[in-house]
């Protein structure tokens, strides 16, 4: 049986009605459920945006598997192959989204510094690679400090840190229009400023991808 496999958006999948468990045809309902779950897991990992081609293939295969069940000439082997492919593509989409999309790691700084050390540059190189692969992503770059120093000073320092990260990304080929900066100073700690370890965790820049 000839078939033209169209590329579907993930949103079309919700309109595809799979048959109930009472259908008399030899349908592997467990595999259908596995395929639906694999696609849902990939969607939760942002595969619609981070691996759209693979996710669309997964949805397309499952759509045709569901559609074929209603055809007069039903072929169980072909149907099983479509479901197998749907699961495989969905898992690939989830893996690609995890590898290339999110999350972007934060960058940490020395006391009273906005300079990037070797560890920070390695993290930002990974961010550059991610953003090159996913040109639809924009990034909010948020600077933070510990609580040492005055609030006005820390706000300025957090802005310098955010700008330093933005400049590094731009210097490595990421369009400035995709990047925005925010300065929070000491107002959003993630750890206890009463300890040296906590203060080190708070001296950071966070990169938050948006669409």
């Amino acid at each position: 049986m000839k078939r033209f496999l169209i590329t579907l958006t993930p949103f079309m999948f919700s309109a595809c009605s799979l048959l109930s468990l009472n259908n008399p045809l030899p349908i592997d309902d467990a595999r259908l459920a596995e395929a639906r779950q694999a696609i849902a897991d990939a969607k939760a990992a942002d595969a619609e945006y981070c691996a759209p081609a693979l996710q669309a293939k997964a949805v397309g295969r499952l759509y045709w598997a569901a559609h074929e069940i209603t055809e007069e000439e039903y072929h169980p082997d072909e149907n099983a192959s479509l479901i197998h492919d749907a699961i495989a593509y969905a898992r690939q989409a989830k893996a690609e989204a995890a590898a290339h999309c999110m999350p972007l790691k934060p960058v940490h700084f020395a006391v009273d510094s906005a300079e990037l050390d070797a560890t920070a540059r390695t993290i930002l190189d990974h961010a550059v690679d991610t953003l090159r692969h996913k040109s639809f992503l924009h990034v909010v770059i948020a600077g933070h400090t510990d609580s040492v120093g005055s609030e006005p000073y820390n706000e300025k320092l957090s802005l310098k840190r955010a700008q330093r990260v933005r400049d590094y990304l731009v210097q490595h080929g990421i369009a400035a229009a995709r990047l925005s900066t925010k300065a929070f100073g000491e107002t959003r700690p993630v750890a206890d400023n009463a300890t040296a370890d906590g203060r080190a965790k708070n001296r950071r820049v966070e990169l938050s991808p948006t669409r």
Side-chain angles (χ1 to χ4, degrees):
M1 177 177 59
K2 293 183 179 179
R3 180 186 298 109
F4 293 98
L5 188 59
I6 60 174
T7 300
L8 303 174
T9 68
F11 304 104
M12 293 177 67
F13 171 59
S14 61
C16 301
S17 176
L18 299 179
L19 297 187
S20 71
L21 298 178
N22 296 322
N23 194 291
L25 293 174
I27 303 164
D28 190 338
D29 292 297
R31 288 289 279 174
L32 280 174
E34 185 179 356
R36 288 196 297 268
Q37 187 60 53
I39 289 172
D41 290 345
K43 180 178 180 179
D46 259 351
E48 290 179 5
Y49 302 97
C50 300
L54 287 169
Q55 182 74 341
K57 286 181 179 180
V59 172
R61 263 61 172 188
L62 187 55
Y63 170 85
W64 277 112
H67 177 72
E68 188 184 65
I69 293 169
T70 66
E71 293 183 353
E72 184 175 345
E73 295 183 8
Y74 172 67
H75 300 280
D77 291 343
E78 288 189 18
N79 194 265
S81 178
L82 286 168
I83 294 172
H84 174 274
D85 289 349
I87 294 170
Y89 281 126
R91 288 175 177 169
Q92 289 177 41
K94 181 181 177 181
E96 181 170 320
H100 294 294
C101 207
M102 296 185 185
L104 298 177
K105 294 182 179 180
V107 174
H108 292 89
F109 294 83
V111 176
D112 196 25
S113 173
E115 296 303 312
L116 300 172
D117 62 16
T119 299
R121 289 193 294 272
T122 297
I123 291 171
L124 292 178
D125 287 342
H126 174 75
V128 167
D129 182 62
T130 297
L131 295 172
R132 283 175 176 168
H133 280 87
K134 306 301 174 185
S135 59
F136 56 87
L137 288 179
H138 291 234
V139 177
V140 177
I141 304 169
H144 303 267
T145 70
D146 58 28
S147 61
V148 177
S150 68
E151 288 188 12
Y153 180 84
N154 283 335
E155 184 176 355
K156 292 179 181 178
L157 178 58
S158 67
L159 179 60
K160 289 180 181 178
R161 288 172 174 168
Q163 290 173 334
R164 182 69 187 89
V165 168
R166 181 199 60 194
D167 291 346
Y168 186 93
L169 297 177
V170 171
Q171 289 165 7
H172 287 76
I174 306 304
R178 298 172 61 191
L179 310 172
S180 60
T181 57
K182 292 185 178 181
F184 292 103
E186 62 188 71
T187 63
R188 296 191 179 183
V190 293
D192 188 354
N193 275 309
T195 68
D197 182 64
R199 291 192 294 274
K201 291 177 180 177
N202 290 330
R203 297 191 298 269
R204 71 197 191 280
V205 163
E206 295 177 341
L207 296 91
S208 301
T210 63
R211 302 181 189 96

